Amino acid sequence: MFRRSDRRDESPDERALTARTAATQGFLALDDEQRAAADAVRAADEFGTGRGLAEAWAEVAAVGDAATEAYLAATSDHPLDGTRPAAGSRAADERALREIDRAREVIRRFRASHSRSLDEAAYALSSLPRTIQEARTALVEARAAVERAEAAGVRSRRAAERLAEAERAAGQLDAPGGRLRERRHTAQHTLDLARSAATLAADAPKTAESVRTALTSIATRRSAAASKAGRIEPSMSALRREFSEPCSRDLTGAEALAREAIADADRAIALARRLVEDGDWDGAADQVTAARSALSRAEDRHDLVTDRLTSLRDVRADPARQAADARFVLRDAQRLVVDRGLVAEFGAILDAQSVRLANAQERLTGVHPDYWLYLTELRGVRDRAKDVVARARSASPRR
C-alpha cells in the first residue's frame, strides 16, 4: 500500500514521487467510487427507485470530473522524468489530491443522502442474475412436473398453459437492450408462471379425484333440485289462491326459470364428463363449478316461492306481531338519538319511519290485503332505524 510522507530529510525528487504516488492512489479510488455511484444512479433510474437522482448526480459527477482533469493535467504537465523541476510537480500533485479528496467527500455525501434509493437499486441489480437463474430452474422443474402428470393420465390443461406462458416469457430474458426494470419484471413473471405450472401439475391428481367425487354427488343434488322445481307451481297456486295478486307478481315464471337453470346444469355436467374422458381435469372442474352455480339458481327460485308463502301466512295469522317488532326497533333508535343529543340530525328521519309504520298498518284492509307490501314496509322501517342507530353510535354525542 502506498503511503504519504512528510519527512524533511527526503530529497526533492523523493518528495515529488511521494506526492505523485498519493495523487495516483487518490485518483484510482475516486475513479472506482465515481464509477460505482454512477452505476447505482443508472440502476436506480432504470428501476424507477430514484426520481431526480440523475440531475443531482450530474452536479456531483462534474466535481469528480474536474478532479480527474486536475490529476491528468498534473501528470501530463509535470512528468517525473527529470526534465522538469520536482517542486512544480509536487505542487501540482498536491493541488490535484486536494480536489480529489473534495470530490470523494462530495460523492460520499451524495451516497449518504440518497442511500435508500441507491441501496434498493443496488440490491435489485445484484439480485437480478439470481432471479433469472431461479426462473430458469423453475422452468425446468415445471416441464418435468407437467410431463409426470401427463404420463400418469391426469393432464392439467392449466398447468400446460402456464408452462407455455412461462416459456414465452423466458424467451425475453436474453433479449438484447432490455431495461433493467423490464428484465427484472420478466424474470419474476417467468418464475411465478413456472412455479404456478408446477403446482397445478402436482395438484392434478387431487383435481381429478375431486372431479370424480363431485360428479357423483352433483347427480344427487340435481335430482333434489328437480324435485324442488316440481313443488314451485303448487306453492304458486297457493299464493295466488290465498293472497292478492301483488303478493306474488314478482315470482311469476319461477318454475320455468328453475327448470331452465337445471337444464344449464345438465349441459355442464355432460360437458364435464366428456372432458374427463379427454383427460382435461381442469376443464371438467370448471364445468362442475358451472353446474353447481346453475343448481343454486334453481334452488333459489324454489326457496323464494316457498319462503314467500310461509312469510305471508305468518303475517296474516298475526299482523300486529310484525308491527310490534318494527316498532320496538324504531323506539330503540329514538331513545338512542335522544340520549346522545342527536335529535336535530336524526329526529326527522325516525319520525318519517313512524308515519310509514302507521300507514302500512292502515293499508291492511279488504278481503285480501297486500301483505307483501306490508312486510316490505315493515322491513324498510326496521332497516332504516338500524341504519340510524349505526350512524348515531359513530357520531359524537351532543349535549
Side-chain angles (χ1 to χ4, degrees):
M1 181 67 77
F2 297 113
R3 293 185 299 113
R4 298 177 61 185
S5 175
D6 293 323
R7 292 183 298 175
R8 296 182 181 275
D9 57 350
E10 286 185 315
S11 68
D13 288 344
E14 290 174 338
R15 290 197 294 273
L17 180 59
T18 299
R20 176 60 52 85
T21 299
T24 300
Q25 184 181 20
F27 164 72
L28 294 174
L30 170 63
D31 188 57
D32 289 342
E33 292 169 7
Q34 187 168 346
R35 185 182 297 108
D39 289 343
V41 169
R42 185 163 48 254
D45 180 58
E46 292 198 17
F47 279 122
T49 60
R51 295 180 179 179
L53 271 183
E55 293 181 7
W57 169 247
E59 298 179 5
V60 175
V63 177
D65 292 343
T68 296
E69 290 175 4
Y71 168 78
L72 294 176
T75 57
S76 175
D77 295 343
H78 303 279
L80 297 181
D81 55 6
T83 61
R84 302 192 184 184
S89 171
R90 177 185 173 192
D93 286 338
E94 289 177 345
R95 284 195 301 273
L97 182 58
R98 286 194 293 273
E99 290 198 41
I100 288 171
D101 288 341
R102 185 171 74 88
R104 293 179 66 190
E105 178 58 29
V106 170
I107 291 173
R108 281 193 289 270
R109 287 201 301 268
F110 172 81
R111 297 205 66 143
S113 298
H114 303 284
S115 59
R116 181 174 180 178
S117 296
L118 295 174
D119 289 346
E120 287 178 357
Y123 173 76
L125 187 62
S126 65
S127 64
L128 179 57
R130 182 176 65 253
T131 304
I132 291 175
Q133 184 56 46
E134 288 177 354
R136 287 177 172 146
T137 301
L139 199 54
V140 172
E141 294 172 349
R143 289 193 195 101
V146 169
E147 291 171 358
R148 284 195 300 271
E150 292 180 349
V154 284
R155 179 173 62 87
S156 170
R157 174 177 52 80
R158 288 198 186 94
E161 290 173 351
R162 295 284 168 81
L163 178 59
E165 288 183 59
E167 289 176 335
R168 286 193 295 271
Q172 302 298 315
L173 290 176
D174 296 321
R179 289 173 62 87
L180 292 175
R181 180 165 52 183
E182 294 169 354
R183 293 191 68 206
R184 181 177 66 168
H185 172 75
T186 299
Q188 188 62 52
H189 187 50
T190 302
L191 179 61
D192 293 342
L193 287 171
R195 286 175 173 171
S196 176
T199 299
L200 288 169
D203 289 345
K206 296 179 183 177
T207 302
E209 182 61 28
S210 174
V211 169
R212 292 189 187 100
T213 302
L215 286 174
T216 299
S217 64
I218 206 168
T220 303
R221 183 177 176 184
R222 189 265 179 212
S223 178
S227 297
K228 286 184 175 181
R231 292 196 292 269
I232 291 177
E233 187 52 38
S235 296
M236 285 294 296
S237 295
L239 280 169
R240 288 190 290 265
R241 185 174 59 254
E242 298 178 28
F243 301 96
S244 60
E245 185 271 340
C247 291
S248 58
R249 182 184 301 160
D250 60 313
L251 300 177
T252 300
E255 182 183 9
L257 291 171
R259 295 199 180 280
E260 181 181 324
I262 292 172
D264 290 341
D266 288 341
R267 285 188 287 271
I269 292 169
L271 180 53
R273 286 176 175 150
R274 288 198 297 273
L275 291 170
V276 166
E277 292 175 359
D278 294 339
D280 185 355
W281 297 99
D282 291 327
D286 290 341
Q287 292 307 312
V288 167
T289 299
R292 285 172 173 161
S293 177
L295 292 176
S296 292
R297 295 199 306 273
E299 292 160 350
D300 288 345
R301 289 296 171 182
H302 165 270
D303 294 345
L304 282 171
V305 173
T306 56
D307 290 351
R308 178 75 59 85
L309 181 59
T310 300
S311 296
L312 292 178
R313 284 172 173 172
D314 286 346
V315 72
R316 182 181 60 188
D318 190 1
R321 181 176 63 80
Q322 299 283 347
D325 290 344
R327 190 175 295 107
F328 176 81
V329 174
L330 182 58
R331 286 177 177 172
D332 186 57
Q334 289 170 330
R335 282 194 296 270
L336 178 67
V337 166
V338 171
D339 291 344
R340 295 179 69 86
L342 298 172
V343 174
E345 288 84 348
F346 302 111
I349 297 175
L350 296 179
D351 288 344
Q353 303 316 303
S354 295
V355 173
R356 188 179 179 184
L357 177 57
N359 289 340
Q361 292 176 286
E362 291 173 2
R363 281 196 290 266
L364 285 181
T365 58
V367 178
H368 292 294
D370 191 344
Y371 286 111
W372 181 239
L373 176 61
Y374 179 64
L375 275 178
T376 301
E377 284 295 281
L378 295 187
R379 288 170 182 165
V381 169
R382 287 197 295 270
D383 290 344
R384 196 72 177 100
K386 290 176 181 177
D387 177 63
V388 168
V389 168
R391 292 166 59 189
R393 284 175 176 166
S394 63
S396 299
R398 295 176 178 84
R399 301 300 180 187

